[in-house]
Amino acid sequence: MSSHKKNRNIGAAVFFIIFSLLFFVLIVRFVTIQTTGKVEGKVLAAEAKELYLRQGVLKAKRGTIFDRNKEIIAEDSESYTLVAVLDEALTIDKKKPRHVVDPAKTAKQLAKYIDMEEADIYAVLTKDAKQVEFGKAGKDLSHSVKNKIEDLHLPGIGFLKDTKRFYPNGVFASHLIGYTQEVEEDGKKKLTGTGLEMSYNDLLSGKNGSVQYEGDVWNYILPNSKKHIKEPENGQDIYLTLDKKIQTFLEDAISQVDEKYSPERIMAVVAEPKTGKILAMGQTPTFHPETREGIDKSWHNEVIETSYEPGSTMKVFSLATAIEEGVFKPADTFPSGKYQVDRQSTINDHNGGEGWGTISYLEGVQRSSNVGFAYLLEKMGTKAWREAMEDFKFGQRTNIGLPNEATGKILYRYPVEKVTSVYGQGTTVTAIQMVQAMTAIANEGVMMKPYVVDKVVNPNDGTVQETKPEVAGKPISKETAKEVLEVLETVVTGKNGTGKIYNIEGYQVAGKTGTAQIAGPTGYLKGKNNYIYSFLGVAPADNPQLVMYVMVDRPHLDENESGSKPVSMIFNTVMKSSLQYLNIKPEEFVKAKTVQLPDFSEMSVSEATKWVKEKGLNPIVIGEGNKIIQQSPFSKEALIVGEKVYLKTDGPTTIPNMKGWSKREVINLSEMADITLNIKGEGYVLQQSSKPGTVVEPGETLEIQFQSPREALNKKKADE
């Protein structure tokens, strides 16, 4: 055998031995893995599970906010975000594409259903990206719009499901209810908001659940994979003390005054004096909780967060203190006009210090004499009045449960401050403090803490947390409270009373007017339109069922118009309507002015229209048919004279003349007519895209241009 052949055989033998060893190691490795399921100490099954495991969030439903009659004020509703897949790699079967195949066609179809130009949609669909969204135009889409787009069967077009906070009443107690939203700061999500939505967020938000499953690279669930679900814990439901009907009365009246007088702001509150329940709370400027439109003008709750000088409405409590101290003698007299505090300070009555000569203290209250109350302070002593303000809880939070509550401030250092505080100047208060203090006058001396949350219901276990009425203090006796009401009633009924404009037919009103100066950079502002006008009243005076406080800041008055006019437009309208709605005596008067609706489906359109007009209501006929197929409000519901009744017929739907209508009235019409609204602006209807009498189809969009009172005033000034 040659040496060459011998070397080749040795090489083959070495190669065979090496190959055999490698094969042996491979077999051992294979058997080990099969037996132990591990590689380098790691469990292969776990590694595979981690590779294919998908996890999703099961979002908790945010709690619903109701009024005291279970009417929905805020709730979560489904919404959808439009997305488009542009990555061709996700398409396995060309017959069933998973990406956008034809951007031009897709853009043209989508432009019909989202508020975005076709060219802009095309630009999004031709981006160098794997998946895209469509900004604001593609967010918060309704279930109806989603279905319409899905019916187009556009490849690559899909939706992400989400929830949206829905406020069915639009601008409704917006600063009280508030809103929440997530914002991103330094790469972290942070929750911000206002009102109840923010202060009760922990209860409302609940806790998200989760779901785990095995999926493929495209996130599809693999066959026979097991799912592990942790159910979400839904948020708790909040029932408020607000009454939707009374709140609507209040907001409509505020809107009318805002339109006519364009004040800087308005605050108003309606409460039950025997419990402290807040039945309505409104203000202007206000905002829409969904769109946030208007929030830049006033983002906080003025009733709770703003302190100001109340003016003569404070005399309610200085009068109560004087009576409690036994120094108020109605028939005793004093010299009105001027009162010298010290060498530097003189107090004047509101008619330029002229006064009305020597008058009784009763007439002094009726005429709202500052001098009369300065003399009363002398009689009761400054210490007694200081203690009384503390007993009435001025300078202290009411702890109503709403965020950022102000305390106000009692100025009581110098002699002049002690005197001016007795008639509401210098010392500052909040509107909610005034309401709380007034409950003592209306509730036999027992002051009730105001509250807005009636109960919290946990839908997960059915538990209920109820808010019980809470006594905030007893600043005066039952006898004093009764005498205060008797005196305040003469402010409204007396010949010399400043509150005669607040007299309501059929009901006794007791209350006090207020005209407060406004502090400016260099002293108090001058001029008729630079005052805060207010009224703090109760009704019926002999057994008060409602307390109401109204404040109008710097209304634009005509030359011969008093500041009480815009305030009375709110107080009188809301107090009267609320008493009737609550069926508070006098019964005969209530029955004569409250109308209960029948079932109009049994009447012809002409018969129904005639019936509605005869009852003092305003019929709004929708459609040109002869048969009524729907009505709003429903039968057996009681309405106050002057309210609108919507009657839908079986004929083609026609649009009425809505000029001057409020947003709430327009929304009521749109729901019954089944049309979509494109609302622009705030205030009242200025223009509508379809002329009155125009026939519209279900789902058709109607553009409505609103104009705010301030815009109208500015336009009027410009025209002049």
Side-chain angles (χ1 to χ4, degrees):
M1 181 182 297
S2 66
S3 61
H4 179 73
K5 186 173 184 182
K6 182 180 180 180
N7 289 337
R8 189 169 58 185
N9 289 339
I10 292 172
V14 172
F15 180 79
F16 177 77
I17 291 170
I18 293 172
F19 180 80
S20 298
L21 286 172
L22 289 173
F23 184 74
F24 176 76
V25 170
L26 183 62
I27 292 296
V28 170
R29 183 70 166 165
F30 179 75
V31 172
T32 301
I33 292 172
Q34 286 282 42
T35 305
T36 65
K38 295 182 178 180
V39 176
E40 296 179 358
K42 297 181 180 179
V43 180
L44 285 181
E47 291 287 302
K49 187 174 184 180
E50 185 177 341
L51 179 63
Y52 290 103
L53 192 64
R54 302 287 186 266
Q55 181 165 322
V57 175
L58 297 178
K59 294 196 74 172
K61 180 180 181 292
R62 189 172 177 83
T64 300
I65 300 177
F66 299 89
D67 84 336
R68 68 175 187 166
N69 297 316
K70 299 183 180 180
E71 294 274 358
I72 294 174
I73 296 177
E75 67 174 339
D76 273 5
S77 61
E78 288 184 350
S79 70
Y80 299 88
T81 297
L82 182 67
V83 296
V85 176
L86 307 182
D87 189 359
E88 295 183 19
L90 291 182
T91 295
I92 300 173
D93 184 354
K94 290 187 177 181
K95 293 182 179 179
K96 297 178 181 179
R98 291 179 178 174
H99 73 286
V100 175
V101 177
D102 189 341
K105 176 185 175 184
T106 304
K108 185 175 182 179
Q109 293 294 321
L110 290 179
K112 299 176 182 177
Y113 298 101
I114 66 173
D115 187 18
M116 196 172 182
E117 294 295 329
E118 182 180 335
D120 295 331
I121 298 175
Y122 180 80
V124 172
L125 294 176
T126 52
K127 284 183 177 180
D128 184 16
K130 292 186 177 183
Q131 182 173 299
V132 292
E133 295 183 12
F134 298 85
K136 185 178 179 181
K139 292 183 181 296
D140 296 331
L141 300 180
S142 67
H143 191 75
S144 173
V145 172
K146 169 184 171 285
N147 287 342
K148 290 175 181 177
I149 294 176
E150 284 182 334
D151 288 343
L152 299 173
H153 302 292
L154 298 171
I157 296 299
F159 297 88
L160 299 176
K161 184 178 178 181
D162 202 353
T163 55
K164 178 185 178 183
R165 201 62 168 164
F166 179 55
Y167 299 87
N169 302 299
V171 178
F172 181 90
S174 302
H175 288 84
L176 171 61
I177 305 303
Y179 71 93
T180 56
Q181 67 176 356
E182 279 191 344
V183 296
E184 197 165 301
E185 290 184 4
D186 300 325
K188 295 181 180 179
K189 287 187 176 180
K190 179 183 176 183
L191 192 72
T192 65
T194 62
L196 285 163
E197 290 275 32
M198 189 61 185
S199 58
Y200 283 80
N201 182 64
D202 290 345
L203 290 176
L204 287 165
S205 58
K207 295 180 181 178
N208 290 336
S210 61
V211 57
Q212 290 183 332
Y213 59 89
E214 291 178 347
D216 62 13
V217 69
W218 293 286
N219 214 30
Y220 286 97
I221 298 175
L222 293 171
N224 303 319
S225 66
K226 293 181 180 179
K227 288 193 291 184
H228 301 279
I229 297 174
K230 180 182 178 183
E231 294 292 343
E233 186 177 316
N234 290 330
Q236 298 185 46
D237 297 329
I238 293 179
Y239 290 78
L240 303 182
T241 59
L242 290 190
D243 189 300
K244 181 180 175 181
K245 195 78 171 178
I246 296 176
Q247 181 71 31
T248 301
F249 292 151
L250 184 63
E251 297 209 7
D252 286 348
I254 287 175
S255 295
Q256 289 176 19
V257 170
D258 193 37
E259 179 182 24
K260 185 172 182 180
Y261 293 98
S262 299
E264 291 296 314
R265 59 183 170 175
I266 298 173
M267 304 182 206
V269 183
V270 182
E272 279 185 358
K274 301 185 189 310
T275 63
K277 290 182 179 179
I278 302 299
L279 303 182
M281 182 186 292
Q283 71 178 66
T284 187
T286 189
F287 70 96
H288 195 295
E290 281 183 46
T291 65
R292 317 283 192 268
E293 187 175 357
I295 201 166
D296 56 317
K297 298 175 184 176
S298 179
W299 56 267
H300 61 283
N301 189 335
E302 300 272 4
V303 172
I304 306 299
E305 302 177 47
T306 299
S307 57
Y308 55 94
E309 297 180 22
S312 292
T313 48
M314 182 62 93
K315 291 173 182 172
V316 171
F317 310 108
S318 48
L319 170 65
T321 306
I323 293 173
E324 185 75 9
E325 294 295 317
V327 300
F328 177 76
K329 307 298 182 184
D332 285 358
T333 60
F334 69 94
S336 65
K338 295 181 181 294
Y339 178 90
Q340 195 70 35
V341 179
D342 49 35
R343 291 181 180 179
Q344 291 81 30
S345 306
T346 302
I347 301 302
N348 294 324
D349 275 326
H350 58 77
N351 60 355
E354 182 179 338
W356 306 272
T358 298
I359 59 175
S360 70
Y361 278 99
L362 177 61
E363 187 175 341
V365 175
Q366 293 170 348
R367 291 189 181 276
S368 196
S369 168
N370 294 339
V371 172
F373 277 85
Y375 280 113
L376 284 177
L377 180 63
E378 268 188 28
K379 292 175 178 289
M380 62 181 161
T382 56
K383 182 181 178 182
W385 171 231
R386 182 67 175 83
E387 291 174 350
M389 283 192 284
E390 291 182 356
D391 291 342
F392 279 111
K393 304 291 185 181
F394 293 113
Q396 306 170 48
R397 293 182 179 87
T398 66
N399 295 318
I400 191 174
L402 295 171
N404 306 318
E405 183 177 4
T407 61
K409 188 175 182 180
I410 298 174
L411 290 183
Y412 215 69
R413 183 177 177 183
Y414 301 106
V416 68
E417 291 175 341
K418 296 175 182 179
V419 176
T420 58
S421 68
V422 84
Y423 57 83
Q425 187 172 306
T427 289
T428 59
V429 302
T430 65
I432 198 65
Q433 286 175 342
M434 297 294 283
V435 171
Q436 175 178 260
M438 194 62 178
T439 62
I441 309 300
N443 191 38
E444 300 183 336
V446 180
M447 186 165 65
M448 303 303 295
K449 177 183 174 181
Y451 64 101
V452 294
V453 175
D454 190 43
K455 62 182 177 181
V456 177
V457 178
N458 190 330
N460 304 293
D461 57 19
T463 56
V464 179
Q465 293 179 321
E466 288 193 54
T467 305
K468 301 294 183 183
E470 183 179 335
V471 175
K474 297 180 181 179
I476 55 175
S477 67
K478 177 180 178 181
E479 292 72 24
T480 294
K482 182 181 179 183
E483 186 174 347
V484 172
L485 287 174
E486 289 172 352
V487 174
L488 293 182
E489 188 178 352
T490 70
V491 172
V492 177
T493 60
K495 180 180 69 173
N496 300 311
T498 57
K500 287 186 288 187
I501 195 172
Y502 298 99
N503 189 28
I504 298 176
E505 181 186 356
Y507 293 100
Q508 298 168 298
V509 174
K512 184 69 190 72
T513 57
T515 303
Q517 291 179 287
I518 301 170
T522 59
Y524 286 106
L525 302 180
K526 304 294 183 181
K528 183 179 181 180
N529 290 328
N530 284 320
Y531 287 93
I532 292 175
Y533 300 98
S534 60
F535 187 73
L536 178 60
V538 302
D542 59 349
N543 183 22
Q545 300 298 307
L546 295 177
V547 168
M548 187 172 179
Y549 179 63
V550 180
M551 182 273 257
V552 180
D553 182 359
R554 285 166 282 182
H556 292 79
L557 302 168
D558 290 339
E559 187 176 345
N560 298 318
E561 206 167 24
S562 75
S564 291
K565 180 61 177 175
V567 178
S568 68
M569 284 177 63
I570 299 172
F571 181 89
N572 294 25
T573 303
V574 177
M575 180 62 84
K576 182 178 180 181
S577 297
S578 299
L579 291 170
Q580 293 176 353
Y581 162 67
L582 295 172
N583 201 32
I584 294 169
K585 293 182 178 181
E587 292 181 2
E588 297 79 10
F589 183 74
V590 172
K591 289 177 181 177
K593 298 297 181 181
T594 304
V595 181
Q596 192 174 55
L597 297 181
D599 183 356
F600 290 114
S601 64
E602 300 175 0
M603 301 184 190
S604 66
V605 174
S606 59
E607 289 173 338
T609 303
K610 181 181 178 182
W611 189 96
V612 171
K613 287 181 178 178
E614 286 177 349
K615 300 299 182 182
L617 301 170
N618 185 7
I620 304 296
V621 179
I622 303 169
E624 300 178 333
N626 297 316
K627 181 178 175 56
I628 295 172
I629 58 174
Q630 191 178 346
Q631 69 182 76
S632 178
F634 299 116
S635 62
K636 298 183 180 179
E637 185 167 340
L639 293 185
I640 305 301
V641 168
E643 289 193 77
K644 288 182 173 64
V645 178
Y646 300 85
L647 304 171
K648 185 176 182 180
T649 72
D650 58 352
T653 301
T654 53
I655 296 299
N657 184 354
M658 292 183 283
K659 188 170 184 179
W661 284 24
S662 68
K663 275 192 178 180
R664 188 172 292 106
E665 291 172 332
V666 174
I667 291 171
N668 286 342
L669 174 77
S670 69
E671 289 175 349
M672 180 164 281
D674 194 24
I675 57 176
T676 302
L677 295 177
N678 183 2
I679 292 176
K680 297 179 180 178
E682 288 291 338
Y684 293 82
V685 175
L686 178 67
Q687 292 178 333
Q688 58 192 72
S689 59
S690 296
K691 294 181 180 179
T694 302
V695 175
V696 294
E697 297 296 330
E700 190 170 329
T701 298
L702 186 66
E703 291 187 4
I704 306 292
Q705 178 67 52
F706 286 78
Q707 185 180 53
S708 69
R710 200 168 306 283
E711 289 172 341
L713 179 67
N714 292 338
K715 186 177 185 301
K716 182 180 178 182
K717 287 180 178 179
D719 293 339
E720 292 172 350

